[in-house]
Amino acid sequence: RQEEFETTLSESDGYNFGSTESGLSISYATLVYFLRAVEAEYISDNRYHNSIHAADVLQTLHSLIQMGRGGISEALKKIDEYSMLLSAVAHDIGHPGTNNLYQINAKTDLAIIYNDKSCLENMHAAKTFQLIFNSGKSTV
């Protein structure tokens, strides 16, 4: 089943970050593992900042990249595209459903940890890096 999945992806016309010509050589299994881990970190009870929102942002970015083909997108290296797409997927990971001002005024753990400076944004970045570096599998 895994071989069928990888063959289907490698034959598609989409992004191919696993190819040697991309310079990234990221296996599909590793990417899928990472994406599932990211999805699991989104809070499903959050009415807006959930995994559906992440997929929507990813699709919007994909559309913008595709519209830029032949123009600005041609200036992007594969690593740039890959980084942008991963950022879109994980941009609100673990979002609690409140904003930074609430975090600061309520003196939450996030506000204390990040010294009232972009509490949520720092938490999203930290959670993403934790998944990348501590996943127990090859990093993405």
Side-chain angles (χ1 to χ4, degrees):
R1 182 146 163 107
Q2 182 66 32
E3 289 175 15
E4 179 183 317
F5 173 71
E6 290 188 17
T7 301
T8 303
L9 281 176
S10 65
E11 292 173 355
S12 73
D13 291 329
Y15 302 100
N16 189 357
F17 299 117
S19 69
T20 51
E21 60 268 4
S22 75
L24 299 175
S25 299
I26 297 162
S27 79
Y28 294 108
T30 299
L31 182 58
V32 168
Y33 178 85
F34 174 77
L35 293 173
R36 286 181 179 155
V38 168
E39 183 179 23
E41 289 291 325
Y42 273 94
I43 300 170
S44 60
D45 292 342
N46 188 322
R47 292 179 151 192
Y48 183 76
H49 295 102
N50 53 41
S51 60
I52 295 169
H53 168 66
D56 183 44
V57 172
L58 176 63
Q59 174 60 37
T60 300
L61 177 61
H62 163 73
S63 296
L64 291 170
I65 290 171
Q66 295 307 311
M67 285 187 274
R69 294 282 184 231
I72 191 141
S73 290
E74 299 306 314
L76 295 174
K77 296 178 184 169
K78 284 293 183 187
I79 189 70
D80 299 327
E81 279 186 351
Y82 186 71
S83 299
M84 289 169 53
L85 293 165
L86 281 189
S87 296
V89 167
H91 81 280
D92 273 333
I93 191 170
H95 200 295
T98 56
N99 62 23
N100 284 325
L101 188 57
Y102 172 85
Q103 299 293 322
I104 294 165
N105 290 338
K107 297 179 179 24
T108 66
D109 288 343
L110 286 178
I112 293 166
I113 289 168
Y114 296 111
N115 200 28
D116 298 342
K117 304 286 189 236
S118 304
C119 313
L120 294 173
E121 292 75 12
N122 281 307
M123 181 266 298
H124 302 316
K127 279 187 172 287
T128 302
F129 285 122
Q130 284 174 334
L131 287 178
I132 290 170
F133 295 117
N134 299 327
S135 67
K137 292 193 96 166
S138 299
T139 60
V140 291

